[in-house]
Amino acid sequence: MAPSSSSAASTFLQKPQTSPLARRSSSALLLRPRPRHNLVPLCRRQAVQELPAVDAAAGRTDCFGVFCTTYDLRADEETKSWKKLVNVAVSGAAGMISNHLLFKLASGEVFGPDQPIALKLLGSERSFQALEGVAMELEDSLYPLLREVSIGIDPYEVFQDVEWALLIGAKPRGPGMERADLLDINGQIFAQQGKALNAVASRNVKVLVVGNPCNTNALICLKNAPDIPAENFHALTRLDENRAKCQLALKAGVFYDKISNMTIWGNHSTTQVPDFLNARIDGKPAKEVIRDTKWLEEEFTKTIQKRGGVLIQKWGRSSAASTAVSIVDAIRSLVTPTPEGDWFSSGVYTNGNPYGIAEDIVFSMPCRSKGDGDYELVKDVKIDEFLWERIKKSEDELLAEKRCVAHLTGEVRLQ
Ligand code: LMR
């Protein structure tokens, strides 16, 4: 829990009407005095806006509705063998992605059918009623594995003891916007959430950043959480991997379960590099199955790079269901052993990487896991000139983004 300040009381906001369904702390909406930022480098169009930081000391996040009833996992032990409860925080919990994701988490499809789960839902003051609505739907779904649900707007409370933090909440990209436009706006959210994780989460929490620009948000988050291992932070590029698998399958005329070894290199942006050189189709190198090199280099690469933007044009909003599915895939890749010879893509912290990619950024690379929540980099993937040239562009973009958020990663101290 963050330090308390009774003098902060004068800055508190009025709390909204509380639904009788939600037993939450009456002081859940109290605000922490804002830090002062004098010198803020502007990298894109938006000026940095200060977020109202929430007063951690002021209240508690309480259980929701039926999840406040007591239960005893041991009572079921004659018929079931339960694992220890896993605590999962989800930010942006009232949003579209979460609306798909939470029900998958509660169903057991992510952590397994013998894994009871506690969901800790983080929303904003504005979304609080919607958050209650989500919690009500979770109640009504009667999931046997869902043992606790709590809702709140203070990351210092919601992240208490969490073992997984799925950071989805951020201002989404609208039509015509680049992900980098969101740097200033969203970076501050992730700085605050990094601090909160550092203060109250499990020391081995695994953090998956989804809110865009997710690589740099993950970097901001990990820099603000110095007591949590940097390798525990991921930026979601699994959606890009899934999109790439689908397009290769379509071109090769096979079902997409035949595609393996699909790496996305770099940033989750239009500079990302879907690696057709190392991808395999039914065990064979993709280039042996798809002989059309021009298609691979041009159309395939562009389609994956721009898929998110095209979806925004079609929907008028960001992808939600497929993003939720890819979050499930990303978690499952860490909690189940990677099949022999295969790998998955994740945006991870570069710290002694074998590919000569700049250190101290979050870069998508091929990873493997033993299923224990950790991963190791796949070290012997070949990179040709075509790939390398593009990997460098994505690296340049991430280094530029990093410079833009130096005030949030602690590299530039503000007066
Ligand atoms: C996506 O790739 O669909 C999302 O990250 C949305 C976006 O901003 O492109």
Side-chain angles (χ1 to χ4, degrees), residues 173 179 212 239-240 243 268 308-309 312 318-319:
R173 187 159 70 116
R179 289 177 179 88
N212 279 317
L239 178 56
D240 308 297
R243 288 168 173 168
H268 173 63
I312 290 171
S318 248
S319 57

Side-chain angles (χ1 to χ4, degrees), residues 78-322:
E78 273 179 24
T79 50
K80 291 250 185 221
S81 138
W82 299 111
K83 292 182 179 161
K84 188 177 153 284
L85 192 73
V86 63
N87 289 294
V88 181
V90 180
S91 78
M96 295 283 288
I97 298 172
S98 298
N99 204 249
H100 292 278
L101 177 67
L102 292 171
F103 296 83
K104 291 175 178 294
L105 289 166
S107 74
E109 148 181 8
V110 184
F111 290 102
D114 55 352
Q115 176 60 73
I117 185 168
L119 287 176
K120 298 173 175 244
L121 310 183
L122 179 66
S124 62
E125 189 189 349
R126 203 162 43 91
S127 71
F128 199 83
Q129 287 223 347
L131 204 55
E132 289 179 320
V134 171
M136 287 164 66
E137 285 208 84
L138 284 166
E139 285 185 301
D140 296 345
S141 300
L142 308 182
Y143 286 115
L145 292 168
L146 185 58
R147 296 306 174 123
E148 289 177 21
V149 174
S150 52
I151 61 178
I153 65 165
D154 182 346
Y156 284 84
E157 294 165 1
V158 175
F159 293 164
Q160 188 75 49
D161 298 325
V162 296
E163 290 140 311
W164 288 84
L166 312 177
L167 304 185
I168 299 168
K171 185 180 165 60
R173 187 159 70 116
M177 280 173 92
E178 277 301 317
R179 289 177 179 88
D181 293 329
L182 300 174
L183 267 179
D184 285 337
I185 306 168
N186 287 338
Q188 294 190 58
I189 297 176
F190 290 89
Q192 185 199 37
Q193 293 184 357
K195 288 189 175 80
L197 287 166
N198 200 53
V200 300
S202 152
R203 297 302 79 188
N204 196 27
V205 61
K206 309 291 186 231
V207 183
L208 178 60
V209 177
V210 179
N212 279 317
C214 61
N215 295 54
T216 297
N217 288 339
L219 183 72
I220 293 168
C221 198
L222 72 88
K223 292 285 182 182
N224 283 278
D227 300 333
I228 296 168
E231 62 266 24
N232 288 15
F233 291 76
H234 296 259
L236 184 79
T237 54
R238 185 51 171 268
L239 178 56
D240 308 297
E241 175 184 326
N242 290 354
R243 288 168 173 168
K245 283 178 165 167
C246 177
Q247 294 305 311
L248 287 183
L250 200 60
K251 182 75 175 171
V254 299
F255 198 56
Y256 36 66
D257 65 345
K258 296 281 184 285
I259 317 296
S260 65
N261 303 82
M262 187 68 242
T263 311
I264 300 295
W265 297 94
N267 201 0
H268 173 63
S269 77
T270 50
T271 67
Q272 67 178 272
V273 188
D275 176 350
F276 53 82
L277 182 68
N278 295 290
R280 295 192 158 253
I281 301 176
D282 216 359
K284 296 190 202 78
K287 284 183 89 173
E288 277 178 25
V289 179
I290 300 172
R291 300 278 180 174
D292 187 348
T293 306
K294 189 168 154 50
W295 179 85
L296 286 168
E297 290 185 352
E298 293 174 15
E299 203 175 320
F300 167 70
T301 303
K302 274 206 182 65
T303 300
I304 308 312
Q305 290 172 331
K306 297 196 165 161
R307 185 81 163 178
V310 171
L311 265 159
I312 290 171
Q313 278 165 6
K314 303 256 179 214
W315 270 115
R317 57 152 178 82
S318 248
S319 57
S322 57

Side-chain angles (χ1 to χ4, degrees), residues 40-56:
V40 179
L42 285 184
C43 291
R44 298 287 296 194
R45 293 172 226 144
Q46 327 273 352
V48 168
Q49 293 166 1
E50 288 181 354
L51 283 179
V54 180
D55 192 328

